[in-house]
Structures are given as C-alpha cells and as structure tokens.
Amino acid sequence: MRLKSTTGAALAVAALLATGACVSQDANEASSDSALSGSGAGADCTIDETVKIGAVFSLTEAAAFAGAYQQEGLALGFEELNAAGGITYEVIQEDDKTTVEDSVAAFEKLINRDKVSAIVGPTLSNMAFTTYTDAQSAGVPALGVSTTAEGIPEIGDYIFRASLPEEVALAASIPAAKESLGLTKVAVLYDSADEFTTSAFNTIKDVLNEEGIEIVAEETFETADTDFAAQLTNVLEAEPDAVILSALPGATVPLVKQARSLGIEAPIVGGNAFNSPVLVGALEDAAEGLIVGGAWSAAADTTGNAEFIAAYTEKYGRAPDQFAAQAYTAAYLIDQAIRADCDANREAIKDNLGQILEYDSILGPISIDEEGEVHQEPVVQIVRDGAFTLL
C-alpha cells in the first residue's frame, strides 16, 4: 500500500546481513511471526510483541565521527515513538568498529541470534556493499542512512536508503557554487582507494561537464595518506577557481589544512561527507568558505526540525548534525512502514518501505520508491564563521 504524507522525520541506515554462513531456519521464520502482526492501522496500530530493530554504526575508529551521531539520532526517534504508544520498539545497537569484518559479524548476530525485523546501517558505503548482499540473501530489510554511493539500492529488493545519494548532493553543490562564485575552471582531488569517493568522482566529472566547467588539475590520493604536498602543489600551479574534493573526513582534515597552509585560497566544494560539525571544528579556520551539498540543514524550516534540534540538544548536550537527522528520520520511516499494515514482519516492512510517498519529515518531504531509492530536495550550505549556513 502507499503511505500518506504525515509528520515525523528522519533518515536512517538499515541493513541486514547473514554473512557467508547460512542463515538459520529460525532466523527466516522470524520474518513471518504472527505475534508481530497487530490490529488497526496507522496511528491506531497496536502490536503486543516488542519489535526489535537492529542498528549497525561505526561507534569507534575512523568513522565514529558519524556513527556516534547516528546512534543518538536513531535512539531519540524510537524513544519518541515508544512514548507515542501502540508499538514498543527495542533497538539492538552494534559497533562495527569501522571494519568490514566487524560489520559482517554484527549483521549476522542481528539476523540470526537477535532475529530483528529490520536493520539500520552501516555507516559507510564500502561496508554496505558486503553486508547488504547478505541481508538480501537473508530476506531482511536494510535501511541505510549514510550509504550514499552509487549502486546501493541495486543490491536487491530488501535494500533501501534514506540517505541522499552523493550524485544528487554534488549535482546541487557544484551548480550552486558556479552560480555564486562564477566558476569556469576547477581542480579535482579524490580518494581512489574508497568506493564511496571514487563513485563521487565519477559524478563530479559528469556534473562539471554538464555545467561547462573545465578541470585544470585532477589528483588522486589514498585513504590512509597524510602528506598531500605533491598533489596540492600541482593544484596551486593550475590556479583553479575552486577545488572539488571527494574524501572521507579522516583525509579531509589534513588535506584542507595543508591546502590552506600551502597558499591555496580557492573555495573548496564537497558532498555528504563534509556535513559534520566535528569536521568543521577539526578544520578550525580552514573550514571557512567550505561549500557542501547534503540532505539536512539546521536552518531549514521543515516540519518538526526546530523541535528535533531542541530535543536532541537537551538529551545529548550538543547540537545534532546531518548524520543524526537522517538516523532520527529512519526511525519514523520504519514506523510508517510497520503501521501501514500494522505488521512488523520482515516481508511487510520490505513491501511498505518502498511505498513511502512524500513523508513530511525534518529533512523535508521524502519518498522511497520500489527500487529502494530515496527522493528529496537537497540543500547546499557554506561554512561561515565556523557554522553551516544555507547558501
């Protein structure tokens, strides 16, 4: 069935997996548990059994800058839904330690041992390409909230994302930068060792070509690199109007700082990975003028956004970022999918997640189609005085 527009919010990462090991018969039977079917529908839905939702985020190591916010946003969303009544949710949180191996193990546990109805996560796209394949084989709906690389929804019909694809974010940020800065030539730097950043690089080239912007320097590096002098020297000599950067935060901070130290004053344009106050804080003055495209802004006048920011800040003692906002929204999207038929079984969630139409969230109206792809309007922001501001 198709879900009507409602208020709530959030985007989250949902992913499930069974690893290379066989999924147990018990795990498959969890997807058709009659106790997870209730009475009524929509706001009147009541399910007696506690609904288990798995979450796999990077809470430690390299991607913890995002995973910690995601954990908090998702927890807040389900806390609010539990208070509303009718359905009781239990979130089973796992830390994948920013490694594929731990992400696979976490998915296997949630699917086979915990028998969750759905999984949100993982934090990074390069892990999702492995874990989502197993989730698909196990018949477990997986909802990604930061899995923005090209090809994620194509993994299978149990795979969804509520995270704005990187190609959409960049397709918004580059034209916006061109219009505001008058760009005619740019330098492009990207991490050639990561699936997310190489996917983004392909999008960058396409968008630049469509906008008639010349690439005067194209430089690569690898995720673990810390010295970018050679690449940045070539960029400096090319004298671009702006630098387009596709990098994970771990490389972004030293790269941007070294660019400014070397004398590169051109604006730097990026995508989803830049949308974190942690990154802006780490960059300090070097963050000024950074232009990013993404899914959420604290300044946006969307339904429930001000209330979300206030509740999050009160609960956690810090302001939310895009990662928190998308995870928070994910809780509400899963709730909508369950309430559509008042059924928390895996198959019902899978059927209804792909029918969400213009759900009125803190991200703005958001839809998920039958192929698992999210549809929403992107926002473009610029860092001014150390804070994100709508461009």
Side-chain angles (χ1 to χ4, degrees):
M1 67 179 291
R2 191 164 288 277
L3 305 181
K4 303 298 182 181
S5 298
T6 46
T7 60
L11 228 46
V13 235
L16 274 124
L17 113 210
T19 72
C22 294
V23 179
S24 69
Q25 183 63 32
D26 288 343
N28 285 327
E29 287 174 354
S31 65
S32 57
D33 186 350
S34 61
L36 291 173
S37 298
S39 60
D44 296 325
C45 170
T46 299
I47 298 176
D48 293 333
E49 188 80 8
T50 296
V51 177
K52 296 179 181 179
I53 303 296
V56 179
F57 298 134
S58 299
L59 303 180
T60 54
E61 304 303 331
F65 76 94
Y69 279 96
Q70 291 174 323
Q71 178 188 32
E72 292 172 352
L74 187 69
L76 177 61
F78 279 117
E79 180 181 294
E80 293 177 355
L81 290 166
N82 282 340
I87 303 174
T88 299
Y89 292 100
E90 176 188 355
V91 178
I92 302 175
Q93 177 68 60
E94 300 293 331
D95 175 16
D96 67 16
K97 303 179 180 66
T98 319
T99 72
V100 173
E101 294 78 13
D102 284 298
S103 197
V104 167
F107 269 84
E108 180 182 30
K109 172 183 176 293
L110 291 170
I111 292 170
N112 290 328
R113 190 189 310 172
D114 298 316
K115 299 179 176 59
V116 298
S117 292
I119 297 177
V120 178
T123 298
L124 298 181
S125 294
N126 62 344
M127 296 175 195
F129 281 113
T130 299
T131 59
Y132 282 178
T133 300
D134 293 336
Q136 175 68 26
S137 298
V140 178
L143 177 61
V145 292
S146 54
T147 48
T148 60
E150 184 178 359
I152 291 290
E154 287 79 4
I155 292 172
D157 58 351
Y158 285 85
I159 308 305
F160 304 85
R161 65 176 165 196
S163 45
L164 192 72
E166 186 70 355
E167 58 262 32
V168 177
L170 289 166
S173 61
I174 292 174
K178 176 187 176 182
E179 181 178 349
S180 63
L181 303 173
L183 305 183
T184 61
K185 56 180 182 176
V186 300
V188 179
L189 292 95
Y190 73 99
D191 181 347
S192 60
D194 181 79
E195 290 181 89
F196 167 78
T197 53
T198 53
S199 170
F201 169 67
N202 293 328
T203 298
I204 289 168
K205 286 198 301 183
D206 291 341
V207 175
L208 290 173
N209 182 59
E210 292 170 4
E211 294 293 325
I213 300 173
E214 180 187 4
I215 299 176
V216 293
E218 181 181 309
E219 299 291 331
T220 65
F221 55 91
E222 295 191 355
T223 310
D225 289 350
T226 57
D227 184 352
F228 307 96
Q231 296 96 326
L232 292 173
T233 297
N234 291 336
V235 169
L236 183 64
E237 292 174 351
E239 299 182 348
D241 297 329
V243 175
I244 313 296
L245 178 59
S246 179
L248 298 177
T252 296
V253 173
L255 194 154
V256 172
K257 284 188 172 183
Q258 289 174 36
R260 296 311 189 207
S261 297
L262 195 62
I264 297 175
E265 299 179 354
I268 297 176
V269 183
N272 274 297
F274 287 6
N275 282 303
S276 170
V278 175
L279 183 143
V280 172
L283 284 172
E284 300 174 320
D285 292 343
E288 195 67 15
L290 188 71
I291 296 173
V292 300
W296 176 82
S297 170
D301 187 23
T302 50
T303 300
N305 199 29
E307 292 81 0
F308 159 68
I309 294 169
Y312 185 99
T313 304
E314 180 179 0
K315 183 174 179 64
Y316 299 114
R318 61 179 180 177
D321 67 356
Q322 174 174 294
F323 295 107
Q326 289 178 307
Y328 173 86
T329 301
Y332 280 89
L333 293 174
I334 289 173
D335 182 67
Q336 286 291 297
I338 291 172
R339 288 181 181 276
D341 291 324
C342 203
D343 192 336
N345 285 294
R346 293 170 176 176
E347 194 69 19
I349 294 174
K350 169 250 192 183
D351 289 343
N352 289 321
L353 268 177
Q355 299 293 327
I356 290 178
L357 178 64
E358 294 188 350
Y359 177 72
D360 196 10
S361 77
I362 62 171
L363 307 175
I366 184 171
S367 303
I368 301 179
D369 64 30
E370 292 180 351
E371 283 70 47
E373 186 62 276
V374 66
H375 299 274
Q376 71 168 111
E377 287 296 318
V379 296
V380 181
Q381 302 183 95
I382 185 170
V383 177
R384 288 188 175 133
D385 299 323
F388 287 113
T389 303
L390 289 172
L391 183 64

